[in-house]
Amino acid sequence: MLALAGCEAPRPRLVVFDGETMGTTYTIKIVGTGADDGALRQTRQAIATVLQGVDDLMTTYRPSEVTAFNEHRSLDPMAVSESTRAVVELALDLARATRGALDITVAPLVDAYGFGATTPGDLSAIEALAAIIGFQNLTINASGALVKRHPGLRIDLSALAKGYGVDRVAEALERQGYQDFMVEVGGEVRARGHSESGQTWRIGIERPDAARGTVQRIVPLSDLSLATSGDYRNFRLVDGRRLSHIIDPRTARPIEHRIASATVIHPSCATADGLATAMMVLGEEALELAELNGWAVMLIIRDNGGFVERQSTTFAQLLASALATSS
Ligand code: ADP
Ligand code: MG
């Protein structure tokens, strides 16, 4: 950047950082900062470090804290980082709040159905696996260590890790004084302040078609997160049947219903991410539970070759007030 003596350096209007993390991509947009090149380089590095840190702790694809816990075939408590504990704690809270629909102990089933780090397992062993699965078999003790109630218990944090990464990046940006930004990891988003056009950030919810990139609905998002879970992209074909990567822990089977995607808006992106996955599991029950808890949920449901949309009351209210106040 050229800075002439006595002149103020030009203010970059929009800075975009992108890259790969957690088996997907990320994009971070920061607007109207007066930060110089050096400060922006540091910010870029800080973002990469935060995301790498979350991935390094929670991946199931290489040695990590989660894989160490999964290989820890003992009922003795295992101490973990504050980050891993925080994600497990949130996951257990959401498991209770969603009648067990979100359950990070489904890891052995995720692997058996071929969506994990290992080659697909023997599906005839599913019945046996079901005995060790259940969030009640996992606790956090008084010192914050993780405790298994069954030595074979394993966890998979994929349903919340991306959202958690988004939250951590957003917090880091806030600490550095940035006020207008959008953080996105693998489709989970958190936005604060305004976009480069001076308006509230507008986030598109994808239409769950095979064709990518068609927008079903645009949501103005201010100081909130939005996460979507769907079964239209990540699935395996087995004997001509579609196997979803989302498992219903209560039946030990991949979900099979008409909901193509579930979107949740919440201040915390980790919560939005976890709840979106839970809504996919709950199927027809999802809206009932959303109403009971005041969650902002939007479902896109397959209907006669097309799609219909359903919104919880809180979602509809958020959307209406965002549309009314967004400038
Ligand atoms: P995506 O990765 O497509 O954004 P999600 O956030 O919905 O999807 O997370 C789905 C992932 O979570 C699956 O690939 C699997 O690893 C894990 N998983 C599947 N079913 C469940 C479940 N019922 N509870 C918690 N995690 C699950
Ligand atoms: Mg999720």
Side-chain angles (χ1 to χ4, degrees):
M1 191 183 288
L2 260 182
L4 299 174
C7 292
E8 215 180 303
R11 293 187 148 219
R13 283 188 54 76
L14 172 68
V15 185
V16 182
F17 299 136
D18 51 22
E20 289 180 10
T21 188
M22 303 184 221
T24 181
T25 57
Y26 69 86
T27 305
I28 282 102
K29 296 183 177 179
I30 308 176
V31 174
T33 82
D36 61 22
D37 280 6
L40 287 174
R41 255 198 308 278
Q42 272 182 17
T43 300
R44 165 176 223 133
Q45 191 51 52
I47 291 168
T49 305
V50 166
L51 291 173
Q52 182 78 47
V54 175
D55 198 15
D56 285 348
L57 288 174
M58 300 178 198
T59 182
T60 50
Y61 287 83
R62 44 196 167 78
S64 70
E65 208 167 55
V66 165
T67 48
F69 180 63
N70 288 346
E71 284 158 17
H72 172 80
R73 293 189 58 90
S74 155
L75 305 184
D76 294 338
M78 188 181 123
V80 291
S81 63
E82 212 180 301
S83 297
T84 300
R85 187 196 40 73
V87 174
V88 170
E89 193 169 14
L90 174 63
L92 293 178
D93 286 346
L94 294 179
R96 286 182 280 267
T98 61
R99 303 172 179 160
L102 184 84
D103 191 336
I104 55 174
T105 71
V106 291
L109 290 171
V110 173
D111 286 343
Y113 286 112
F115 294 103
T118 60
T119 47
D122 178 3
L123 289 183
S124 64
I126 295 277
E127 301 274 311
L129 288 179
I132 60 170
I133 285 155
F135 67 92
Q136 301 87 346
N137 294 332
L138 170 63
T139 52
I140 302 175
N141 73 9
S143 41
L146 306 187
V147 188
K148 300 182 180 192
R149 287 222 179 97
H150 190 295
L153 183 118
R154 292 196 284 129
I155 58 173
D156 175 355
L157 303 182
S158 312
L160 320 87
K162 285 179 291 173
Y164 179 74
V166 168
D167 286 332
R168 294 297 305 270
V169 169
E171 284 155 18
L173 292 175
E174 272 165 25
R175 271 199 308 277
Q176 295 186 24
Y178 294 108
Q179 294 178 348
D180 298 298
F181 56 77
M182 197 265 328
V183 179
E184 179 261 338
V185 177
E188 325 302 12
V189 186
R190 179 158 157 170
R192 173 169 174 170
H194 297 92
S195 75
E196 69 274 21
S197 65
Q199 295 177 315
T200 303
W201 294 97
R202 283 172 162 69
I203 311 298
I205 298 174
E206 214 178 358
R207 205 178 149 80
D209 283 326
R212 284 188 171 216
T214 330
V215 171
Q216 164 85 16
R217 178 166 288 283
I218 292 177
V219 180
L221 203 67
S222 183
D223 301 327
L224 286 171
S225 303
L226 178 147
T228 298
S229 181
D231 70 352
Y232 55 102
R233 189 159 294 158
N234 191 350
F235 58 86
R236 288 178 58 224
L237 280 175
V238 174
D239 303 330
R241 286 180 62 206
R242 251 167 87 113
L243 281 191
S244 170
H245 71 305
I246 298 174
I247 315 291
D248 188 335
R250 302 160 306 178
T251 60
R253 298 218 20 95
I255 54 166
E256 272 180 288
H257 49 59
R258 298 186 306 131
I259 300 183
S261 80
T263 296
V264 177
I265 299 178
H266 193 275
S268 148
C269 198
T271 301
D273 194 359
L275 279 180
T277 305
M279 296 300 109
M280 283 303 293
V281 173
L282 286 166
E284 309 292 329
E285 242 181 286
L287 279 181
E288 176 204 322
L289 210 59
E291 291 301 337
L292 272 174
N293 290 281
W295 294 327
V297 175
M298 180 187 125
L299 305 178
I300 301 180
I301 303 172
R302 296 191 182 89
D303 185 52
N304 284 325
F307 296 107
V308 291
E309 200 183 296
R310 295 267 181 283
Q311 298 176 357
S312 70
T313 307
T314 305
F315 190 98
Q317 283 167 347
L318 262 179
L319 196 61
S321 73
L323 286 169
T325 58
S326 71
S327 51

